[in-house]
Amino acid sequence: MKNLSSGIHPTLPTKQTLKHQGDRLEIPSAAARCEWDFSLSTVVSSSANAAVSDALGSIEFDPSNTVVATGGIARKIRIYSLNSLLPEDNIQLLTRGEQNDTAFLDHVNACSFYICTPAKLSSLRWRPGSGGRLLGSGDYDGVVMEYDLERKLPVFERDEHGGRRVWSVDYSHWDPFVGASGSDDGTMQMWDPRCGGEGGECVAKVQPAAARSSVCCVEFSPFGDSLIALGCADRMAYAYDVRKMVEPLHVLEGHTKTVTYVRFVDAQTMVSAGTDGCLKLWNMSDCGLIRTCKGHLNSRSFVGLSVWRHGGLLGCGSENNQVFVYDKRWDEPICARGLEPMARPGFGHAFVSSVCWRQVQEDHCTLLAGGSDGVLQVFVGTKIS
């Protein structure tokens, strides 16, 4: 077993200058500094003899932040309780600000239960207002499904993307029955299961790019407004007002390759990630580029993006098998952690494929990272006083 117990290492800031982005002047941030102390709490892996790919494409905390769902290539939704991923001894050490020992677990023993799915999964999202009971998914066959976790059965299915892969699903926060999906068919579709037939009625459909470039990510604003953001393979990010979907409210141009993720940081700020190896923070009031964050490696894969809104931290993966943490105030990562792949045949080049912050308002934080080798790792951080 490789030694994974070393801490996350702060990165060193470099001298910064003014940067021009098209017609905009990007103002550099102050030198980055790490105000957090991170450690690896738990590693969850499959049997070393497992021959089936188990890349984790999506990790999601439920609304209570006590249950975790993962999905990916293995055609399984795994459900974990946070207590199983964070041993009680580690929680007590975290509360006291002391270093914990890394716990090594097996997926079979760590997860509460799993649900087999008909296709590989690219996206998961809990439906707001369901009490953590309903979980939506998007899959490689172009199907959106919703699962009742108490019954462990699918209760909703929508196949309206022509068999093209669904990259992302999300639910509205102002009307949690309304969902959206983005697909390789070049469209973002919004639906309402209360309307129409078995698959719900499509209440809106947009094709952001004339060339039908893939819609790689969709996210409704969680701040009570009517915005929905999209990331596309045409190198653009878009924001629409769901009350008027005829044309985008904002077009955010700056990435040089596919925009793989979009996330709302706060009511006025959005972050986008691309396979150009950049995170870009945008001011949604004037479409201005606030800053570009660089440090991780990303030229072809989906490596995950998550925002811890209370702490103002951004987490993403990297194709060199590292987890990177950025502070929204600075251009460079405040810390990066190299992940050693577990010894499994056929997984020589692993990379971080998904990340998720626990959304709690505390002075300690939890970041989960999933790998292309199927390994789930749990990091905990405490604020440096």
Side-chain angles (χ1 to χ4, degrees):
M1 186 73 68
K2 295 183 180 292
N3 181 11
L4 304 181
S5 60
S6 59
I8 297 183
H9 304 292
T11 59
L12 297 177
T14 59
K15 186 177 180 180
Q16 301 184 40
T17 58
L18 294 178
K19 305 172 187 176
H20 286 274
Q21 299 287 338
D23 295 331
R24 303 187 185 96
L25 186 66
E26 184 181 356
I27 301 174
S29 62
R33 64 181 185 273
C34 186
E35 300 174 344
W36 294 86
D37 182 23
F38 287 90
S39 62
L40 178 61
S41 174
T42 308
V43 177
V44 188
S45 61
S46 297
S47 167
N49 297 321
V52 179
S53 175
D54 197 12
L56 298 176
S58 184
I59 306 171
E60 291 289 330
F61 274 100
D62 80 329
S64 72
N65 283 290
T66 60
V67 177
V68 176
T70 69
I73 301 301
R75 295 181 171 89
K76 289 181 181 179
I77 297 173
R78 291 191 177 103
I79 304 297
Y80 306 82
S81 71
L82 185 62
N83 289 338
S84 70
L85 297 177
L86 276 179
E88 183 63 29
D89 290 345
N90 286 1
I91 295 176
Q92 293 176 1
L93 289 171
L94 171 64
T95 302
R96 296 196 300 265
E98 300 177 18
Q99 187 74 21
N100 63 278
D101 293 326
T102 302
F104 292 88
L105 308 174
D106 187 276
H107 282 298
V108 173
N109 299 320
C111 77
S112 301
F113 63 90
Y114 66 86
I115 299 173
C116 292
T117 63
K120 301 173 183 177
L121 300 177
S122 51
S123 180
L124 296 173
R125 191 57 60 98
W126 298 85
R127 196 173 94 178
S130 69
R133 178 172 178 169
L134 299 178
L135 182 69
S137 70
D139 68 30
Y140 279 40
D141 289 347
V143 179
V144 174
M145 301 188 73
E146 196 171 273
Y147 291 86
D148 184 322
L149 298 186
E150 289 187 5
R151 299 164 57 194
K152 301 181 178 61
L153 293 172
V155 293
F156 173 78
E157 180 176 335
R158 189 171 193 276
D159 185 5
E160 299 296 333
H161 284 287
R164 304 294 299 277
R165 183 182 307 187
V166 171
W167 284 112
S168 179
V169 295
D170 195 22
Y171 291 99
S172 165
H173 294 265
W174 47 266
D175 186 349
F177 283 97
V178 175
S181 53
S183 168
D184 268 343
D185 69 356
T187 69
M188 183 279 292
Q189 299 183 22
M190 289 174 53
W191 73 89
D192 187 337
R194 298 168 297 186
C195 306
E198 182 179 344
E201 179 181 333
C202 183
V203 296
K205 179 178 179 179
V206 296
Q207 179 187 316
R212 298 188 73 88
S213 300
S214 298
V215 177
C216 300
C217 185
V218 301
E219 179 162 286
F220 287 95
S221 170
F223 298 102
D225 53 33
S226 56
L227 288 181
I228 184 171
L230 320 179
C232 296
D234 66 349
R235 302 175 295 180
M236 308 288 189
Y238 301 86
Y240 288 83
D241 187 324
V242 299
R243 299 166 300 183
K244 187 180 180 181
M245 300 285 287
V246 178
E247 59 185 20
L249 189 64
H250 303 301
V251 179
L252 306 176
E253 182 177 358
H255 286 281
T256 58
K257 295 178 72 174
T258 296
V259 177
T260 47
Y261 300 96
V262 287
R263 298 285 186 261
F264 286 92
V265 179
D266 53 46
Q268 300 296 325
T269 312
M270 192 183 82
V271 60
S272 58
T275 52
D276 53 4
C278 297
L279 306 183
K280 291 182 179 291
L281 278 88
W282 306 90
N283 186 327
M284 298 304 289
S285 62
D286 61 4
C287 298
L289 179 62
I290 300 171
R291 66 179 49 88
T292 298
C293 302
K294 295 182 179 180
H296 62 288
L297 299 180
N298 186 199
S299 62
R300 57 173 295 181
S301 303
F302 285 72
V303 296
L305 175 66
S306 184
V307 177
W308 182 34
R309 298 187 179 97
H310 173 69
L313 300 182
L314 316 174
C316 70
S318 179
E319 288 167 1
N320 63 354
N321 210 33
Q322 289 184 313
V323 175
F324 281 75
V325 178
Y326 295 86
D327 189 301
K328 69 178 184 179
R329 298 171 292 178
W330 301 311
D331 300 349
E332 299 184 0
I334 59 171
C335 42
R337 171 61 196 259
L339 305 184
E340 293 290 342
M342 307 303 288
R344 292 181 61 193
F347 295 93
H349 179 67
F351 62 91
V352 178
S353 52
S354 54
V355 294
C356 187
W357 290 100
R358 186 179 182 221
Q359 298 296 331
V360 291
Q361 297 187 7
E362 300 173 355
D363 285 334
H364 61 266
C365 57
T366 306
L367 175 65
L368 273 61
S372 60
D373 55 2
V375 178
L376 179 65
Q377 308 205 31
V378 183
F379 299 94
V380 293
T382 53
K383 195 75 175 284
I384 300 174
S385 57

